[in-house]
């Protein structure tokens, strides 16, 4: 028996671009074939809807409200809900797994930190950082920023990306030799391709997910109307059809 987890999900409670409430995801995602979700709303330096003028603790409480609503709604439904963060620097965004609300409370100066300082804080807490959609191109992105030294993993399939962008991300993950993931980057309910991580056992906690991911127990997969396929078995997702249109900048 396999268990599939959504690794990249936004709620309208904390993400400005989110259209679905955290609590409403449970039955929908379970029907899509998932065993659980990781809520990764945009943090304050991304597309967040949390008011900037609030005190830090109140901002954090608002930020985690989508996750907490989803967690409460999943009670008794044999469905797991874990906490994560999508953290932005210069349009290079990272999925942070393995930290919690208390960690955010304790790091009220987080937004002033450099990439490496954030990475060190995450690691000190036992967490990891996975670069989300590394080769994404959008009108608001002027260049592709890559920092291999702070990548514990790479998201190689993102359902919101064009195929060649995912294939370029696959090649990047292959080059770094790090664990890789797949996710839907879901903001609302829709018909179409979704992504996730498939495991041969149930994941018990976000700490368990971190361990399993880093031990390469999981397999990045694409869900297509009930069909599940490994990303590395889909030719167009592993062989780029073109080079990036944007300049690629590597950071130390």
């Amino acid at each position: 028996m396999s268990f599939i987890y959504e690794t990249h999900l936004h709620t309208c409670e904390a993400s400005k671009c989110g259209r679905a409430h955290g609590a409403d995801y449970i039955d929908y995602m379970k029907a899509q074939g998932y065993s659980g979700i990781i809520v990764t709303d945009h943090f304050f330096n991304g597309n967040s809807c949390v008011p900037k003028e609030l005190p830090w603790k109140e901002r954090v409480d608002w930020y985690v409200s989508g996750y907490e609503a989803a967690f409460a709604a999943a009670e008794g439904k044999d469905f797991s809900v874990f906490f994560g963060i999508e953290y932005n620097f210069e349009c290079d965004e990272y999925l942070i797994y393995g930290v919690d609300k208390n960690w955010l409370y304790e790091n009220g100066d987080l937004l002033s930190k450099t990439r490496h300082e954030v990475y060190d804080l995450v690691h000190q807490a036992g967490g990891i950082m996975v670069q989300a959609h590394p080769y994404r191109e959008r009108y608001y992105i002027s260049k592709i920023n890559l920092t291999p030294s702070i990548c514990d993993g790479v998201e190689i399939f993102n359902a919101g990306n064009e195929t060649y962008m995912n294939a370029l991300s696959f090649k990047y993950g292959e080059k770094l030799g790090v664990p890789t993931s797949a996710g839907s980057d879901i903001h609302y309910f829709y018909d179409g391709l979704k992504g996730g991580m498939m495991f041969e056992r149930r994941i018990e906690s976000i700490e368990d997910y971190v361990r399993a991911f880093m031990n390469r127990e999981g397999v990045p997969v694409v869900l297509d109307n009930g069909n599940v396929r490994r990303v590395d078995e889909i030719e167009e997702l592993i062989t780029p059809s073109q080079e990036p249109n944007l300049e690629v900048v590597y950071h130390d």
Side-chain angles (χ1 to χ4, degrees):
M1 184 176 181
S2 297
F3 302 86
I4 300 175
Y5 295 85
E6 172 62 82
T7 63
H8 193 161
L9 177 146
H10 297 275
T11 75
C12 65
E13 279 93 342
S15 294
K16 191 179 294 184
C17 47
R19 296 189 219 164
H21 291 278
D24 294 337
Y25 273 113
I26 309 309
D27 293 338
Y28 170 76
M29 295 300 282
K30 192 170 183 179
Q32 295 290 309
Y34 291 92
S35 299
I37 59 176
I38 307 177
V39 178
T40 55
D41 276 313
H42 290 292
F43 199 59
F44 308 145
N45 49 9
N47 198 21
S48 172
C49 64
V50 179
K52 295 180 179 180
E53 64 272 13
L54 292 177
W56 182 260
K57 184 177 183 301
E58 290 181 33
R59 292 175 77 185
V60 170
D61 288 340
W62 188 315
Y63 176 74
V64 302
S65 63
Y67 155 72
E68 291 180 338
F71 184 87
E75 186 175 0
K77 293 190 175 181
D78 190 29
F79 189 87
S80 300
V81 176
F82 305 130
F83 176 71
I85 298 168
E86 185 166 16
Y87 197 92
N88 173 62
F89 290 101
E90 296 177 78
C91 291
D92 52 320
E93 296 181 295
Y94 297 82
L95 300 168
I96 298 178
Y97 306 120
V99 300
D100 57 16
K101 179 168 66 173
N102 287 328
W103 182 83
L104 289 175
Y105 283 159
E106 293 165 1
N107 287 284
D109 59 348
L110 192 61
L111 297 178
S112 66
K113 302 293 186 183
T114 65
R115 290 177 176 86
H116 283 282
E117 288 171 338
V118 172
Y119 182 73
D120 288 343
L121 284 171
V122 169
H123 269 233
Q124 288 166 18
I128 58 172
M129 288 172 58
V130 175
Q131 186 161 8
H133 41 68
Y135 280 85
R136 167 166 288 183
E137 298 183 12
R138 296 288 191 273
Y139 71 90
Y140 54 84
I141 299 176
S142 61
K143 60 187 176 182
I144 292 169
N145 291 294
L146 302 175
T147 310
S149 57
I150 66 167
C151 269
D152 295 304
V154 172
E155 184 183 61
I156 59 170
F157 176 80
N158 179 291
N161 272 9
E162 293 184 41
T163 300
Y164 80 91
M165 299 175 192
N166 284 321
L168 288 167
S169 298
F170 177 87
K171 288 299 183 184
Y172 181 54
E174 195 172 53
K175 177 182 177 181
L176 294 188
V178 296
T180 55
S181 70
S184 305
D185 201 351
I186 188 169
H187 293 68
Y188 51 85
F189 305 158
Y190 69 93
D191 295 324
L193 298 181
K194 295 179 175 63
M197 289 297 288
M198 183 171 68
F199 298 86
E200 294 307 310
R201 64 177 181 85
R202 188 179 298 279
I203 299 299
E204 302 295 340
S205 64
I206 193 61
E207 293 80 11
D208 189 25
Y209 177 82
V210 167
R211 286 190 296 269
F213 176 76
M214 295 305 295
N215 288 336
R216 302 175 193 261
E217 294 178 32
V219 176
V221 295
V222 176
L223 291 77
D224 184 6
N225 295 317
N227 297 314
V228 179
R229 299 175 66 190
R230 293 173 58 118
V231 171
D232 61 9
E233 294 178 349
I234 304 174
E235 184 62 28
E236 61 267 29
L237 291 179
I238 63 175
T239 305
S241 59
Q242 68 174 76
E243 293 299 314
N245 295 305
L246 298 177
E247 177 189 10
V248 178
V249 178
Y250 283 86
H251 298 266
D252 293 331

